């Protein structure tokens, strides 16, 4: 994360803003201006709204975004948003 310039990355999470910022701080990650939390979307994580909102905050077309997703049920929503997808399974 430290090699990606500010304004070029976002975080979309189903966590609340308070939990997300606390966990990011614990990991030493400064908060992105494009942090999309559960309070900032109407449809929730199982909808492409969060990804689309993050792309808009970054000022880029969603089709130019790379999404790293760890939850298999969200994969279809990334595909619907037209973003490029990278998956990571944690078992």
């Amino acid at each position: 994360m430290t090699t990606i310039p500010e304004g070029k990355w976002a975080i979309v999470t189903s966590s609340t803003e308070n939990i997300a910022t606390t966990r990011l701080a614990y990991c030493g990650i400064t908060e992105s201006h494009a942090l999309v939390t559960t309070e900032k979307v109407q449809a929730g994580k199982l909808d492409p709204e969060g990804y689309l909102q993050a792309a808009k905050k970054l000022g880029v077309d969603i089709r130019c975004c790379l999404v790293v997703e760890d939850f298999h049920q969200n994969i279809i929503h990334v595909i619907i948003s037209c973003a490029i997808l990278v998956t990571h399974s944690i078992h």
Side-chain angles (χ1 to χ4, degrees):
M1 296 290 296
T2 58
T3 60
I4 304 172
E6 178 60 36
K8 298 293 183 185
W9 59 276
I11 294 176
V12 179
T13 180
S14 56
S15 293
T16 64
E17 187 165 358
N18 185 43
I19 290 172
T21 56
T22 300
R23 289 180 178 167
L24 290 169
Y26 179 79
C27 294
I29 300 172
T30 57
E31 183 183 330
S32 169
H33 78 280
L35 175 63
V36 180
T37 58
T38 194
E39 305 97 336
K40 296 178 183 175
V41 294
Q42 292 184 5
K45 187 81 183 284
L46 295 179
D47 183 275
E49 180 187 1
Y51 305 113
L52 296 168
Q53 194 177 119
K56 184 175 181 179
K57 287 183 174 204
L58 294 173
V60 297
D61 186 312
I62 188 67
R63 294 172 292 183
C64 297
C65 293
L66 175 69
V67 175
V68 178
E69 181 57 66
D70 64 346
F71 188 54
H72 70 278
Q73 289 183 335
N74 289 336
I75 292 172
I76 188 66
H77 305 288
V78 175
I79 293 168
I80 290 169
S81 73
C82 297
I84 300 165
L85 173 68
V86 174
T87 62
H88 179 346
S89 291
I90 300 173
H91 296 282

